[in-house]
Amino acid sequence: MKSILVANRGEIAVRVIRTARDMGLRTIAIYSELDRDALHVDLADEAWNVGPAPAAQSYLNQERILKIAHDSGAEAIHPGYGFLSENSQFARKVEESNIIWVGPPADAIRAMGDKITSRRNAESHGVPTVPGITDPVTTVDEVARLAEEFGYPVAIKAAHGGGGKGLRVVSEEGQLTDAFEGARREADAYFGNPEVYVEKYLDKPRHVEAQILFDTHGNAEFLGERDCSVQRRHQKLIEETPSPGLTEKQRRALGKAAIAAGKSCGYVNAGTVEFLVDTHGDFYFLEMNTRLQVEHTVTELVTGLDLVEWQLRIAAGEELDLGTVKPHGHAMEFRINAEDPFNNYLPTPGQVVEWTEPAGPGVRVDSWIRPGTTVTQYYDNLLAKLVVWGSDREAAISRAKRALSEFKVRGVSTTIPAHLTVLDHEDFIDGRHHTKWMEESVELNESDPSVSPAMPEEEEVTRRDLTVEVGGRRFAVSYWAPAPPVGGQPRRKRPKLESTGPSGSPDGVVTAPMQGTIVKVHVGAGESIKTGEPICVLEAMKMENEVKSPASGEIVDLRVEPGDTVASGEVIAIVK
Ligand code: MV4
């Protein structure tokens, strides 16, 4: 194998291209019209236009991708995650075109994609599953009988589902009909198949998944687990390994079960078996993901293995030969998404104006962003994965805080403030969180000064940063000012202007409310002033405007004198 086409974009395309190049392969990128200047395109040896922006016409366009593979002479295709990675028809087409598919056999993808079949296969290979049934349910009466048998609550799930869609929880008999019909409707709408099945519903479980590798010679390896319990609305935010609280005995049992689940469908290549772990520490098979997962990086940091390298070696027919794998230390991954955690995690597409990644000991950033990169609503909003390693969980948490505070992103909102909040939460620090915890227990406080300066309402404002020296010491000050947005910085509406200083106490950054000329200055630097007292007079459009102090305190910085012209939003003085 000397060449590979990477049928993906974003951070995972970058990730795969890097390892393929490390291994001396010729790398072939594909790009949609929006991604012509993307990082993965620059890093690959060659790049081919796969079509217009919508994924259906580009990264999901099977025939077009196969044609590019043929035209470019690619010997293999790596699908990354998402897009075509778990499409068994595409995997089969690749196999039938005599191109190496860097992934599991099409039949294994199909078997695991059907949740009833995968449950049945796992069960028949001795893998513990949640109490439930291995056949679709077709009537409400059947669901009622099963609920009596297992006890309420029960879960009604889409047979071809995943990601929480088509999942309904029934806690009492009265909800049965609604839940059953709702689950069928949703299953039909999302997955084109109304088939549903029933399981006992586990309340507040942890989500723990096992990384496995299988080669084509019958060898299998379990590479440890990942805890993905910090998630909201089925979107994972933080993943870590090892899982807090899992004993060595439980870990071994989980690994054995994961390998048995893989064997049950003839698995080859890298895969992940998902389990729910209940409050007693018992674990149950949930489903198997037949792809490389976003969070594979934490496994890499503790094992020292490159999982993409092993995917490629296995695909080329090599025998799995890892020696003894001895995981070392603790790793955590933080998904840096373009979304606003202060506004219900609403996606925030736009141009990234500033992008400074953390670095240093134990820090890895897998990203596709550069200053100027535009994040579009056409694809997912993962900007980067921050992955940290520490000798133990406490060290990893400490390092994560350090790295997250080094991360500087402007132009789009990110999940960084949410991560910092989680890292300071006792439940997380003690490892007491579960899959419902984020939604139940983590609320972000908009006025937290370590996170973001307070924003004035009503007026159109934009965030500005500046540095000041007070008594020979340097301080960074952020404030909101009425001004045109600085390169894509979002405008917001809020009441009264207010800002926060380095100490977190409310300081007054006094800015020009409009463009004009300073005609008089009432105060001097170092003097004290009270709220509402005038600082200077600003003339604009033949009108004189008094600029007043927003706070009582000392004028630590005075930046204007009579005759100066100031732009709207320019700093006039700082009151501490
Ligand atoms: C469950 C469950 C509790 N009991 N099944 C949600 C997504 C789908 N893949 C399976 N899911 C769940 N199935 C039983 N019998 C709780 C969830 C669940 C969940 C699972 C993993 C990670 C996050 C979750 C969040 C809510 C519910």
Side-chain angles (χ1 to χ4, degrees):
M1 198 164 105
K2 291 198 173 60
S3 60
I4 186 163
L5 183 150
V6 180
N8 214 302
R9 67 178 300 282
E11 74 84 20
I12 194 60
V14 169
R15 163 74 192 88
V16 172
I17 287 167
R18 284 186 166 142
T19 286
R21 286 176 55 85
D22 285 346
M23 295 169 74
L25 299 181
R26 177 169 65 98
T27 50
I28 299 142
I30 59 171
Y31 61 91
S32 75
E33 281 159 19
L34 280 183
D35 280 337
R36 199 169 268 122
D37 300 315
L39 182 60
H40 77 277
V41 168
D42 285 357
L43 296 185
D45 294 288
E46 58 193 79
W48 297 62
N49 183 327
V50 74
Q57 294 171 57
S58 53
Y59 299 106
L60 288 172
N61 187 338
Q62 303 185 22
E63 299 315 316
R64 178 97 189 115
I65 293 169
L66 286 169
K67 178 155 195 316
I68 294 172
H70 287 293
D71 292 349
S72 65
E75 289 165 87
I77 293 181
H78 193 303
Y81 53 69
F83 294 128
L84 295 168
S85 61
E86 293 181 278
N87 185 312
S88 61
Q89 286 170 351
F90 184 65
R92 190 173 314 283
K93 282 185 209 165
V94 173
E95 287 167 355
E96 284 169 358
S97 330
N98 279 324
I99 295 171
I100 298 168
W101 171 247
V102 186
D107 286 336
I109 299 177
R110 196 167 38 80
M112 284 300 177
D114 176 339
K115 306 304 165 192
I116 297 180
T117 305
S118 68
R119 221 190 110 94
R120 195 182 295 140
N121 285 349
E123 213 170 73
S124 70
H125 280 69
V127 181
T129 55
V130 190
I133 48 157
T134 44
D135 290 300
V137 283
T138 50
T139 66
V140 188
D141 288 347
E142 271 178 84
V143 184
R145 261 203 312 283
L146 291 162
E148 289 303 323
E149 187 185 333
F150 307 137
Y152 287 96
V154 293
I156 306 178
K157 297 181 164 189
H160 300 269
K165 297 207 174 75
L167 170 77
R168 292 293 176 102
V169 182
V170 190
S171 27
E172 54 181 47
E173 207 181 328
Q175 305 168 335
L176 275 175
T177 308
D178 268 7
F180 176 70
E181 283 167 5
R184 283 180 66 87
R185 256 197 322 274
E186 235 171 86
D188 198 23
Y190 283 108
F191 311 107
N193 189 325
E195 231 167 62
V196 294
Y197 65 108
V198 175
E199 276 179 1
K200 166 91 191 129
Y201 181 72
L202 306 178
D203 195 35
K204 302 185 177 178
R206 293 177 82 99
H207 173 133
V208 180
E209 58 185 32
Q211 177 68 55
I212 52 175
L213 279 179
F214 284 77
D215 67 13
T216 51
H217 308 277
N219 302 301
E221 286 272 3
F222 164 59
L223 297 178
E225 81 285 1
R226 296 183 286 258
D227 194 307
C228 313
S229 301
V230 181
Q231 54 86 45
R232 67 180 289 295
R233 306 225 175 131
H234 304 288
Q235 300 298 315
K236 295 170 185 167
L237 276 168
I238 303 176
E239 303 97 344
E240 64 180 304
T241 186
S243 172
L246 204 69
T247 65
E248 202 46 51
K249 196 171 159 218
Q250 287 171 315
R251 178 169 298 110
R252 268 199 302 275
L254 195 88
K256 262 183 79 178
I259 287 181
K263 288 215 167 102
S264 77
C265 68
Y267 207 78
V268 176
N269 216 287
T272 300
V273 185
E274 289 188 7
F275 296 93
L276 291 179
V277 180
D278 69 14
T279 42
H280 311 290
D282 293 325
F283 64 83
Y284 305 94
F285 172 85
L286 198 55
E287 50 196 70
M288 180 167 184
N289 298 322
T290 55
R291 59 172 190 273
L292 182 73
Q293 300 221 156
V294 175
E295 61 270 25
H296 73 277
T297 54
V298 292
T299 304
E300 293 186 323
L301 288 202
V302 298
T303 60
L305 296 168
D306 180 333
L307 289 181
V308 174
E309 177 188 340
W310 279 103
Q311 284 196 294
L312 296 172
R313 287 176 182 274
I314 289 167
E318 260 188 59
E319 198 154 338
L320 196 54
D321 177 19
L322 306 178
T324 29
V325 181
K326 199 176 169 303
H328 182 57
H330 201 102
M332 283 187 182
E333 177 183 272
F334 300 83
R335 297 193 187 196
I336 313 298
N337 299 332
E339 58 195 37
D340 187 353
F342 297 106
N343 189 13
N344 208 22
Y345 295 80
L346 213 70
T348 56
Q351 190 181 39
V352 178
V353 175
E354 182 184 346
W355 180 261
T356 308
E357 294 176 358
V363 173
R364 164 174 167 185
V365 179
D366 280 18
S367 144
W368 65 284
I369 303 296
R370 298 180 278 200
T373 301
T374 296
V375 184
T376 84
Q377 61 272 57
Y378 283 100
Y379 315 117
D380 77 20
N381 59 1
L382 182 71
L383 303 173
K385 308 184 305 204
L386 166 65
V387 203
V388 301
W389 182 89
S391 52
D392 57 20
R393 191 165 187 266
E394 202 183 334
I397 288 176
S398 182
R399 186 162 271 162
K401 289 191 202 175
R402 186 267 289 176
L404 285 162
S405 68
E406 281 181 24
F407 226 131
K408 292 284 177 288
V409 185
R410 299 280 306 278
V412 297
S413 300
T414 75
T415 40
I416 291 171
H419 293 315
L420 287 166
T421 302
V422 169
L423 287 171
D424 273 333
H425 202 295
E426 265 180 37
D427 292 349
F428 180 78
I429 294 168
D430 297 343
R432 279 187 276 116
H433 56 292
H434 48 79
T435 51
K436 278 189 186 168
W437 174 78
M438 188 81 190
E439 274 150 280
E440 283 179 359
S441 311
V442 182
E443 224 179 272
L444 265 71
N445 180 0
E446 179 115 42
S447 64
D448 182 348
S450 72
V451 158
S452 165
M455 283 184 301
E457 254 175 53
E458 295 306 308
E459 259 174 296
E460 290 247 297
V461 290
T462 178
R463 184 184 154 151
R464 299 280 190 87
D465 300 296
L466 83 158
T467 56
V468 295
E469 269 180 28
V470 179
R473 183 172 166 200
R474 184 184 177 282
F475 292 89
V477 181
S478 298
Y479 62 100
W480 295 90
V486 186
Q489 182 70 11
R491 277 162 166 259
R492 316 252 184 133
K493 286 190 184 258
R494 287 288 151 131
K496 100 186 149 73
L497 205 70
E498 193 183 275
S499 24
T500 53
S503 63
S505 63
D507 289 358
V509 178
V510 184
T511 58
M514 65 204 79
Q515 187 192 347
T517 306
I518 303 291
V519 292
K520 188 171 172 61
V521 178
H522 291 292
V523 293
E527 289 177 14
S528 59
I529 193 166
K530 291 211 166 59
T531 307
E533 286 179 356
I535 293 173
C536 65
V537 178
L538 173 70
E539 190 198 88
M541 301 167 94
K542 302 216 158 55
M543 298 271 288
E544 289 199 347
N545 304 275
E546 207 151 60
V547 178
K548 294 176 180 136
S549 178
S552 296
E554 185 194 347
I555 309 237
V556 294
D557 198 351
L558 183 66
R559 300 197 166 192
V560 294
E561 52 186 48
D564 286 352
T565 55
V566 291
S568 172
E570 198 171 317
V571 176
I572 287 172
I574 295 173
V575 181
K576 186 175 169 59

